[in-house]
Amino acid sequence: MVEPLKVGLAGLGTVGGSVARLLQKQESNASESNILATRCGRPIRLVAASAKTKGELDALGLDGVRFVDSPSGLARDPEIEAFVELMGGEGDPAKSAIEAALAAGKSVVTANKALLARHGVALAAAAEKAGVSLNFEAAVGGAIPVVKTLREGFAGNSFDRVYGILNGTCNYILSRMESEKLSFGDCLREAQRLGYAEADPTFDVEGFDTAQKIAILASLAFGVQVDPDAVYVEGISSITPEDLEAAAELGYRIKLLGVAVRTESGIEQRVHPTMVPLDRPLARVMGVTNAVTIEPAGFPPITLVGPGAGGAATASAVVADLADIARGVRTMPFGRPVSQLAGSRRAPMQRHEGGYYIRLAAVDRPGTFATIAKHLADEHISLESIVQRRRNGEPHGGSDPDRTQTPAPVILVTYATSEDAVRKALSEIKNRGVIAGNPQVIRIEKN
Ligand SMILES: NC(=O)c1ccc[n+]([C@@H]2O[C@H](COP(=O)([O-])OP(=O)(O)OC[C@H]3O[C@@H](n4cnc5c(N)ncnc54)[C@H](O)[C@@H]3O)[C@@H](O)[C@H]2O)c1
Ligand SMILES: N[C@@H](CCO)C(=O)O
Ligand code: NA
């Protein structure tokens, strides 16, 4: 009789509950239908769990799973061989519990990108020292095996760029705002109800979750230390239905992208709403689905698409990580020894080059356009298109009696230029008093 891999699970919420149910379902199958046991050569058995309350375990109705009050106590529990952390948060109790498990020589699986982005290097060093696994496929791209693909599938390749839609909540919100014309707030509440959003959804909508994920992918792809502070971050909270509509008219769709790219001055890591041409694979990825495009050097790009958030999608990746531990497969967490990871630095966004979508509220008086054109020309910015949009409720031709007071929305699309030039030109234009409020600026990713 083969010994099962005995697992302790801390966190029984959206993801932890799904993992517990999945493991129990496999164990309750007749041995020939327990595909996990068949594939791993041994069953994977949940033996103990921890959560804020024992009621969470009772509510799952699992057989024979012990409740342990303290996550760190569970991590050190002599019965368990592998510890799964699904509580979340970049500090304790998640951090101390994982440290306790590694120090006790137990392999760890986590979906906690916040913790990995902040302390991944130290935790990987602890796993290396203990000779155990620290697996985190669920932390990036949900069920998409992107960690495995970068770390193992391309072990012999270097990379030019890795980028993608890495936050299911944001993609869900942008998709529903566009297709159902729902408000930002309604879409966010729905994403929370469906279990996609973080406990604090600011992490999703302000881009921090995507930043943590791209920092992890940058480490795997480019061998830099994971560092969320090295990532330039902008979220989607300023995107309006007007931007989504204008994007579609111009042949784009707005996506929150995480991008890690090799440049002459180092590895640029950035997260921001992006205009993606409608004919690109990422533009067609809608709802909670995630997608990652990997560009190995000298190779055509490869795009992986799949469910990026929610209990079932995330549990699938957690269980796959446990399967590796059950099989005795151990890989260095970031694909190379921690001592070989290089220091990272914040992306110099001023040097970023590309096209820009700029939406201005132009004050309706003579000379406004000449002033805007002059300051763009001063910074050598050429325009691909200019679209003057109607004010809300105003028919074409402009019958608004207050039109001299109401600023008119103007959309500019630039040819490739630098971030620095755009920022300088817009600052001058604002100082001249020809626009109301702050311009909306969205970067265009054409290549
Ligand atoms: N929900 C998703 O779609 C998703 C996807 C990928 C990764 N993740 C990550 O998975 C982790 C869990 O997310 P979730 O959505 O399941 O969260 P959740 O809020 O639904 O569940 C959290 C669980 O952790 C337990 N917990 C929290 N603090 C605790 C404490 N101090 N002591 C003991 N138990 C504690 C709670 O009781 C609960 O059982 C997070 O790191 C999250 O970022 C979530
Ligand atoms: N809140 C995250 C969960 C998956 O990591 C998202 O929406 O993508
Ligand atoms: Na994944």
Side-chain angles (χ1 to χ4, degrees):
M1 175 74 180
V2 260
E3 265 298 293
L5 175 78
K6 292 185 181 166
V7 174
L9 167 59
L12 293 170
T14 304
V15 183
S18 294
V19 169
R21 279 190 293 266
L22 183 53
L23 290 180
Q24 188 108 90
K25 184 165 175 290
Q26 288 293 328
E27 276 269 83
S28 65
N29 285 341
S31 56
E32 64 279 9
S33 354
N34 184 339
I35 51 170
L36 250 185
T38 309
R39 287 172 178 166
C40 301
R42 61 196 284 212
I44 300 178
R45 183 168 304 156
L46 179 62
V47 296
S50 185
K52 274 187 185 160
T53 64
K54 181 170 181 298
E56 292 181 67
L57 177 62
D58 296 341
L60 287 167
L62 306 171
D63 295 328
V65 179
R66 253 185 316 122
F67 186 78
V68 178
D69 276 323
S70 144
S72 291
L74 174 63
R76 283 188 285 264
D77 192 294
E79 192 189 3
I80 71 159
E81 195 181 331
F83 175 68
V84 181
E85 184 282 306
L86 296 169
M87 297 178 287
E90 66 174 54
D92 291 338
K95 178 170 174 279
S96 50
I98 291 179
E99 286 167 346
L102 296 173
K106 296 169 198 298
S107 285
V108 169
V109 176
T110 181
N112 190 338
K113 55 267 163 159
L115 175 67
L116 287 163
R118 188 60 64 196
H119 303 291
V121 176
L123 294 175
E128 251 178 51
K129 186 171 166 218
V132 296
S133 297
L134 170 63
N135 291 347
F136 48 83
E137 184 58 76
V140 189
I144 303 173
V146 60
V147 172
K148 227 177 209 315
T149 301
L150 283 172
R151 192 173 57 193
E152 292 149 57
F154 288 100
N157 299 74
S158 59
F159 300 94
D160 291 334
R161 182 166 63 156
V162 178
Y163 64 107
I165 296 167
L166 300 173
N167 186 271
T169 300
C170 287
N171 207 50
Y172 179 84
I173 292 173
L174 292 172
S175 301
R176 302 266 294 171
M177 279 174 74
E178 186 188 334
S179 62
E180 314 289 322
K181 311 284 178 230
L182 295 175
S183 74
F184 185 95
D186 284 348
C187 297
L188 173 57
R189 275 186 288 281
E190 189 62 7
Q192 288 177 293
R193 191 185 66 74
L194 292 165
Y196 305 155
E198 294 304 302
D200 175 357
T202 314
F203 279 88
D204 297 291
V205 298
E206 295 305 342
F208 305 123
D209 177 81
T210 304
Q212 291 157 358
K213 290 166 175 169
I214 199 68
I216 293 170
L217 294 188
S219 180
L220 289 161
F222 299 108
V224 291
Q225 290 173 1
V226 201
D227 177 8
D229 297 334
V231 187
Y232 172 85
V233 190
E234 271 176 38
I236 62 163
S237 58
S238 72
I239 301 295
T240 65
E242 192 180 5
D243 294 319
L244 296 169
E245 203 179 301
E249 285 169 18
L250 292 162
Y252 296 97
R253 186 164 273 137
I254 300 174
K255 296 293 181 190
L256 184 74
L257 294 191
V259 182
V261 57
R262 189 187 294 285
T263 70
E264 279 175 9
S265 48
I267 306 302
E268 183 177 288
Q269 299 179 57
R270 50 189 163 87
V271 172
H272 48 74
T274 310
M275 294 274 179
V276 181
L278 284 171
D279 61 359
R280 300 299 146 85
L282 293 191
R284 291 192 288 272
V285 173
M286 302 300 275
V288 70
T289 306
N290 280 195
V292 189
T293 299
I294 296 170
E295 295 181 357
F299 247 54
I302 290 150
T303 298
L304 306 171
V305 182
T314 314
S316 142
V318 170
V319 170
D321 275 348
L322 280 172
D324 269 349
I325 295 168
R327 291 182 188 114
V329 173
R330 184 164 73 86
T331 319
M332 281 172 285
F334 293 101
R336 63 189 81 196
V338 163
S339 60
Q340 301 288 313
L341 295 171
S344 65
R345 63 183 182 80
R346 195 178 166 87
M349 276 308 283
Q350 307 89 301
R351 288 202 232 145
H352 172 72
E353 303 234 333
Y356 286 77
Y357 159 104
I358 301 167
R359 177 169 54 77
L360 304 167
V363 173
D364 198 354
R365 65 165 186 251
T368 289
F369 276 99
T371 305
I372 293 172
K374 176 194 174 317
H375 291 294
L376 293 174
D378 283 355
E379 295 300 331
H380 309 287
I381 298 171
S382 315
L383 294 181
E384 190 179 297
S385 66
I386 306 178
V387 183
Q388 180 155 18
R389 291 174 68 80
R390 280 172 281 174
R391 299 170 181 84
N392 271 350
E394 180 192 9
H396 264 312
S399 62
D400 177 1
D402 287 332
R403 68 193 298 272
T404 49
Q405 269 83 51
T406 317
V410 175
I411 288 161
L412 313 172
V413 177
T414 78
Y415 283 111
T417 179
S418 74
E419 178 99 6
D420 198 33
V422 168
R423 295 286 165 198
K424 279 186 184 147
L426 291 178
S427 161
E428 288 300 327
I429 289 167
K430 193 166 160 55
N431 289 342
R432 295 295 174 275
V434 295
I435 58 169
N438 287 321
Q440 169 72 293
V441 176
I442 304 178
R443 297 168 191 86
I444 298 172
E445 196 96 7
K446 275 198 176 163
N447 301 315

